[in-house]
Amino acid sequence: MAWDIQISSFTGSEESDIVLLGEHTLVVLNSQGQLCLQKRFDYQPVAFTMYNVSGNRNNLLVAAATGQMMVYSHKRVVWAAKGDTCPVAVKVATFAGLQGLILTLDDAGKLVLSYMGTDPPMQSVDVRHSAEVDFAALDSEYREVAGHIQALGAPSEAVVPQEQLLITAQVPSLLDRSEDLPQDMLSGSAFSAVTVHLYLRHSGAASLTDVTLSLDAPPGLHLDQDCITVPHVSSTDSSAVIVRLQGRGSGVPSDNTLTAVATYTSSSGEPRTTSTKMDLQQPGQYANVMSFKYMRGPVVTILVSKSAGRYRIQSDSFEAMWLIVQELCQRLRHFFITAESSEQERAGSQEDFAITFKEAVPLEELWASIEKHWQARQAVAASQAALSDRAQQQRAVQKRLLMRFKDRQPGSLAHLELLLAETFDQLIDLGSQQEQQQVEVETAGSQLAATVQLILQLVRYSFGMSLEDVNVLTAHLSPQISDGGSVGWEELTEAGMTHLLAGQLARNQHERSVQTVPLAQACDVPKLKKHISIVLERLSQGASISALPG
């Protein structure tokens, strides 16, 4: 099928040529009908035109369906440009004495006049011979400019916008009563809930409309609404948003932080965001012995010494103690530092408050969690490989069956239909097995995250680390488990430990010169354990990782 046919001299001969534009090809015939040129395009042309360059030599202008304009001199592309419309007709003409203008017409009847290339210079460049360079003046000017740049790049205080959205949260210390819960919650698997009140207020003079509040609950808790639209937020009264979190499933949560992010448009039309994080408190009253039971999970007990100032936390599950330890330490700091600071100042003596852990850090529990998580990941990888093999086998059998069905005289199927049915059943079984293994990976990841949380706290109180060192260690030995791709927690942690040992914790130049390897799914778990042990050993000896390596 030919889109267009024109007669012009395209090959440079004195006779005219017949130029045909097809769906993807360009064909040039001479006056006797013989083939002179044939070219196949890698795009879909829609229109073309010929225009004279000099003498008998003409160029070809082809318009593509993507809006591109291609200029050909014989078979070679000499120019290309991109237009805003897809033309159905194109022509090269002269308007107002200006040559080379391109006239295009699209399917909506829009006529566009344009041109390719750049504007020619209107004035000649005057080259002047400069005098000798004054290097002293240049050096002085350079130092002055560098001083201005350094002054502008100096850290300054963050500019707080005059108009901002303020979010405050009211987190209860007790669970909701059963009579306050809806009937659908009481009849389902979630039999505990907590209601959080969020208050939004705008500090500007104008009110905000359509504020979107996005919520992210910690694992193990379910939000009745994770995205809420607040139609109106004023600057005088706070807009209340009620959020209810329900306990789902069983086990130990790996986090207790509820994150709220509000997106809105300011009065000046600028898109802005405001975020806040709130810790979900643990309910309870003061006593010498206190026990906490996770929903369909383990029990954690706190034993308080009456006079020695010691707290003993015990449980059948190691990872279940991290949340209780964290809550206990937070409340101890609040009680001894905040509540008693005024009394100690009046007494004239300021006693130091410190939380210590005198026993050895139980790394065996961490090793067991790492092994369990790694084996679960390996099982998923093996299942994925088997699933890929069976899928490839099914495609191969299907192709053979299609070839048999297309044959005019087909032979015997040779039990290919049985092989296809068996392969399909294996695909279904492997898919179900992989779904179960994914659940096991998530469970093992949650257990590993809780174990790492507790290990980090014990390391902090056992080695007397500063808050800066703890933050750096948490960034390298992270409790955030990511198993979405081929590189998981083990590979990331191995890279983090190697970075610490070759940086802040390096003892000599040989350790600093260790080459880091790219991340890949080939973690050596014994090597990972060894590196974690070395890092913790050097931290126990008083090494700091918050300072830059020397």
Side-chain angles (χ1 to χ4, degrees):
M1 177 180 178
W3 291 114
D4 196 0
I5 301 176
Q6 294 188 16
I7 298 177
S8 178
S9 178
F10 182 63
T11 58
S13 62
E14 297 182 355
E15 299 181 355
S16 299
D17 299 323
I18 303 174
V19 183
L20 298 91
L21 181 66
E23 292 184 353
H24 289 282
T25 56
L26 177 72
V27 179
V28 181
L29 306 175
N30 59 15
S31 58
Q32 286 78 29
Q34 298 176 351
L35 180 64
C36 298
L37 176 66
Q38 183 176 3
K39 180 176 179 59
R40 181 172 180 83
F41 300 118
D42 55 356
Y43 55 88
Q44 181 181 357
V46 292
F48 85 108
T49 186
M50 307 284 296
Y51 65 95
N52 183 262
V53 179
S54 63
N56 295 328
R57 189 167 62 90
N58 294 331
N59 281 356
L60 176 68
L61 177 63
V62 181
T66 58
Q68 291 180 334
M69 297 286 184
M70 314 291 290
V71 180
Y72 290 89
S73 177
H74 201 59
K75 288 186 177 183
R76 187 171 57 91
V77 179
V78 295
W79 199 265
K82 180 71 169 60
D84 297 331
T85 60
C86 177
V88 296
V90 61
K91 208 71 175 178
V92 178
T94 302
F95 287 87
L98 188 59
Q99 300 179 356
L101 294 179
I102 301 174
L103 188 65
T104 58
L105 178 69
D106 61 5
D107 55 357
K110 183 179 179 181
L111 198 64
V112 178
L113 188 64
S114 58
Y115 68 96
M116 292 186 180
T118 57
D119 294 331
M122 304 302 297
Q123 298 178 355
S124 60
V125 180
D126 187 11
V127 180
R128 298 181 180 179
H129 297 284
S130 60
E132 295 183 359
V133 180
D134 189 354
F135 291 100
L138 289 178
D139 184 68
S140 176
E141 183 181 0
Y142 167 75
R143 293 180 182 276
E144 182 180 358
V145 174
H148 287 299
I149 295 176
Q150 186 176 5
L152 293 175
S156 58
E157 296 182 357
V159 178
V160 180
Q162 297 180 356
E163 299 181 2
Q164 56 180 337
L165 182 64
L166 305 177
I167 304 177
T168 56
Q170 181 180 356
V171 182
S173 59
L174 297 177
L175 298 175
D176 295 344
R177 297 181 301 177
S178 58
E179 54 267 22
D180 297 335
L181 297 178
Q183 293 297 326
D184 57 348
M185 291 183 57
L186 295 176
S187 59
S189 59
F191 54 87
S192 62
V194 61
T195 302
V196 179
H197 293 78
L198 300 177
Y199 299 96
L200 283 69
R201 187 175 64 86
H202 187 221
S203 61
S207 301
L208 299 177
T209 58
D210 297 334
V211 177
T212 303
L213 189 65
S214 302
L215 303 170
D216 183 23
L221 295 178
H222 173 72
L223 286 165
D224 55 354
Q225 298 182 75
D226 56 359
C227 186
I228 303 173
T229 300
V230 183
H232 180 79
V233 177
S234 65
S235 58
T236 56
D237 299 330
S238 299
S239 300
V241 178
I242 299 177
V243 179
R244 176 167 287 154
L245 293 94
Q246 308 170 11
R248 294 288 186 183
S250 60
V252 179
S254 58
D255 197 3
N256 67 329
T257 303
L258 175 65
T259 305
V261 179
T263 58
Y264 62 98
T265 303
S266 64
S267 57
S268 59
E270 300 177 355
R272 293 182 180 178
T273 60
T274 301
S275 63
T276 183
K277 294 184 178 182
M278 60 211 80
D279 293 334
L280 303 177
Q281 300 179 3
Q282 300 296 318
Q285 299 177 353
Y286 296 103
N288 292 335
V289 178
M290 184 182 300
S291 295
F292 300 87
K293 179 176 175 55
Y294 291 93
M295 187 172 59
R296 286 174 293 179
V299 177
V300 181
T301 303
I302 301 179
L303 302 175
V304 185
S305 175
K306 294 183 179 181
S307 59
R310 296 180 180 179
Y311 293 82
R312 178 181 180 86
I313 304 176
Q314 58 187 20
S315 175
D316 294 338
S317 174
F318 179 80
E319 64 274 6
M321 295 186 289
W322 86 267
L323 194 57
I324 307 302
V325 171
Q326 175 179 278
E327 188 69 22
L328 175 62
C329 295
Q330 289 179 357
R331 297 196 180 191
L332 287 175
R333 291 193 195 95
H334 182 270
F335 179 78
F336 285 101
I337 296 178
T338 304
E340 294 188 352
S341 59
S342 58
E343 297 181 2
Q344 292 176 353
E345 290 177 0
R346 287 195 300 266
S349 61
Q350 181 71 28
E351 296 182 359
D352 294 333
F353 167 76
I355 301 176
T356 58
F357 178 72
K358 298 300 183 181
E359 300 181 6
V361 179
L363 294 179
E364 293 299 328
E365 304 291 341
L366 178 61
W367 304 153
S369 298
I370 293 177
E371 289 286 352
K372 182 178 180 180
H373 181 256
W374 175 252
Q375 291 176 3
R377 286 185 55 200
Q378 291 296 101
V380 170
S383 178
Q384 288 178 347
L387 192 62
S388 178
D389 293 341
R390 292 300 176 269
Q392 184 177 2
Q393 177 179 333
Q394 186 185 29
R395 290 192 295 268
V397 175
Q398 288 175 342
K399 289 181 180 179
R400 290 191 178 184
L401 286 174
L402 288 175
M403 293 177 61
R404 296 291 178 89
F405 292 151
K406 290 180 180 180
D407 194 358
R408 294 183 178 180
Q409 296 179 354
S412 175
L413 294 179
H415 304 291
L416 287 177
E417 73 281 5
L418 299 179
L419 182 58
L420 180 64
E422 181 67 22
T423 306
F424 180 77
D425 293 339
Q426 292 178 359
L427 281 174
I428 297 299
D429 295 339
L430 287 174
S432 302
Q433 179 182 352
Q434 190 175 20
E435 289 181 355
Q436 180 62 30
Q437 290 173 347
Q438 289 287 356
V439 175
E440 295 177 358
V441 169
E442 294 178 0
T443 303
S446 178
Q447 178 182 350
L448 177 59
T451 303
V452 173
Q453 290 272 22
L454 182 55
I455 290 295
L456 290 173
Q457 296 181 65
L458 297 181
V459 166
R460 175 185 180 182
Y461 301 131
S462 178
F463 302 159
M465 298 174 59
S466 63
L467 184 58
E468 292 78 9
D469 287 343
V470 172
N471 293 334
V472 174
L473 180 61
T474 305
H476 292 78
L477 185 62
S478 175
Q480 303 295 330
I481 308 300
S482 176
D483 296 321
S486 59
V487 176
W489 181 88
E490 286 78 8
E491 291 82 1
L492 296 175
T493 306
E494 170 63 23
M497 296 297 103
T498 305
H499 179 266
L500 285 178
L501 293 176
Q504 291 89 335
L505 297 179
R507 292 183 173 178
N508 49 52
Q509 188 63 31
H510 175 70
E511 293 183 356
R512 293 190 181 95
S513 61
V514 174
Q515 296 287 339
T516 58
V517 297
L519 290 176
Q521 192 181 11
C523 179
D524 188 357
V525 176
K527 186 177 179 180
L528 171 62
K529 297 178 184 178
K530 179 181 178 181
H531 285 172
I532 295 177
S533 301
I534 296 176
V535 169
L536 297 183
E537 180 184 358
R538 295 186 182 180
L539 289 176
S540 65
Q541 297 172 358
S544 176
I545 55 179
S546 58
L548 295 176

